[in-house]
Amino acid sequence: MSNKLKGKSGEDLAADFLLNGGFKILERNFRYSRCSEIDIIAKKDDILYFIEVKYRTSDAFGFPLEAITKSKLEKIKAGASYYLSNTKEKFKSYRISAVSILGSKINFIENILF
């Protein structure tokens, strides 16, 4: 399976996990520049979540969250700012979050700001 298909599979698992947890998915693969995107934008209880999905079938190459670099986080912040300034809907607050998938174990980290 190619890395692109693995990534899509991980994002599908994350989306299902979030939907089952009461989230409403607003966007998937939201592109805000040529080289940056936010995997999932979702809302729950008037809170907007900008979600990075990291999927690994094993920990042989590290744990999923280790792949969220400071540079990646800055890009997510920029995308969140762009999205918030261009949406008509207003939200009480927002969070930058992650869904970490390692094998069959899925974890939602509500706030990943460093």
Side-chain angles (χ1 to χ4, degrees):
M1 183 184 297
S2 73
N3 284 341
K4 190 170 187 168
L5 286 176
K6 286 179 191 174
K8 169 116 174 61
S9 174
E11 288 175 10
D12 290 343
L13 289 170
D16 289 343
F17 176 81
L18 293 166
L19 288 169
N20 289 331
F23 287 82
K24 179 179 180 188
I25 306 292
L26 302 177
E27 302 270 352
R28 287 187 63 178
N29 304 111
F30 175 75
R31 285 198 142 324
Y32 56 92
S33 74
R34 275 184 354 160
C35 58
S36 299
E37 74 175 24
I38 297 173
D39 293 330
I40 297 174
I41 299 175
K43 72 176 184 175
K44 182 178 181 183
D45 302 327
D46 293 325
I47 300 172
L48 188 64
Y49 293 86
F50 298 95
I51 303 167
E52 177 69 8
V53 177
K54 289 299 177 188
Y55 174 59
R56 301 284 186 269
T57 54
S58 77
D59 62 3
F61 296 103
F63 292 96
L65 292 180
E66 293 174 338
I68 301 176
T69 63
K70 189 171 185 171
S71 172
K72 179 62 176 174
L73 187 58
E74 291 301 319
K75 289 177 183 180
I76 295 169
K77 286 181 189 178
S81 178
Y82 177 83
Y83 185 87
L84 289 167
S85 67
N86 288 291
T87 185
K88 291 179 176 44
E89 190 172 356
K90 299 301 173 203
F91 296 90
K92 186 167 52 173
S93 65
Y94 75 92
R95 300 204 173 111
I96 297 175
S97 305
V99 172
S100 168
I101 305 169
L102 181 58
S104 61
K105 185 175 180 179
I106 302 175
N107 289 310
F108 175 68
I109 297 85
E110 192 164 347
N111 192 353
I112 60 169
L113 290 178
F114 297 112

